């Protein structure tokens, strides 16, 4: 899938941002990634609310192979092939995928940066004093 094909595919959905990612593209709307276009196909973000819809279509979650095992990514499911010919229904699935991605973003806690943690922790402790200063103070 190339960039122009993806732009046409999502034309009924609305404006999307398409960025190179892995061996394909990440597709986002409103700054939230909701789809992956890879060599293996087009995958939409899914969660407990939308996975049954994918299962009913016989779709499978995204999988990739490492040297040791197969990894299954249950948060992205392959888009049913029939939707490539029905842009209106594809738009509905894309809206559901975007909603799933938004729900996932809300559940994610903001990460505290390590530097901020160290500064906060350092501010609560007394300054460290080396052996030479302790020896000098005891005189």
């Amino acid at each position: 899938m190339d960039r122009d094909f993806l732009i046409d595919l999502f034309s009924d959905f609305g404006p999307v941002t398409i960025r190179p990612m892995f061996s394909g593209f990440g597709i986002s709307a409103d700054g939230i990634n909701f789809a992956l276009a890879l060599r293996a196909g087009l995958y939409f973000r899914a969660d407990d609310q939308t996975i049954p819809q994918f299962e009913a279509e016989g779709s499978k979650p995204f999988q990739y192979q490492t040297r040791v095992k197969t990894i299954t990514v249950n948060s992205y499911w392959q888009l049913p092939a029939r939707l490539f010919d029905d842009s209106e229904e594809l738009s509905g699935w894309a809206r559901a995928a975007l909603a799933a991605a938004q729900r996932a973003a809300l559940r994610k806690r903001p990460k505290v940066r390590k530097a901020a943690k160290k500064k906060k922790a350092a501010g609560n402790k007394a300054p460290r004093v080396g052996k030479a200063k302790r020896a000098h103070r005891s005189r």
Side-chain angles (χ1 to χ4, degrees), residues 93-110:
W93 283 65
R95 281 189 285 282
L98 179 58
Q102 289 167 334
R103 287 189 294 272
L106 289 174
R107 283 191 302 269
K108 233 182 216 183
R109 283 193 225 162

Side-chain angles (χ1 to χ4, degrees), residues 40-55:
L42 185 59
Y43 295 86
F44 276 7
R45 182 69 189 228
D47 62 8
D48 292 341
Q49 292 182 29
T50 59
I51 287 174
Q53 186 178 13
F54 286 96
E55 289 175 330

Side-chain angles (χ1 to χ4, degrees), residues 66-86:
T66 68
R67 291 182 185 154
V68 181
K69 61 184 176 178
T70 299
I71 306 294
T72 300
V73 181
N74 277 318
S75 56
Y76 283 92
W77 283 64
Q78 190 162 27
L79 188 69
R82 69 177 184 78
L83 296 176
F84 285 91
D85 296 327
D86 188 345

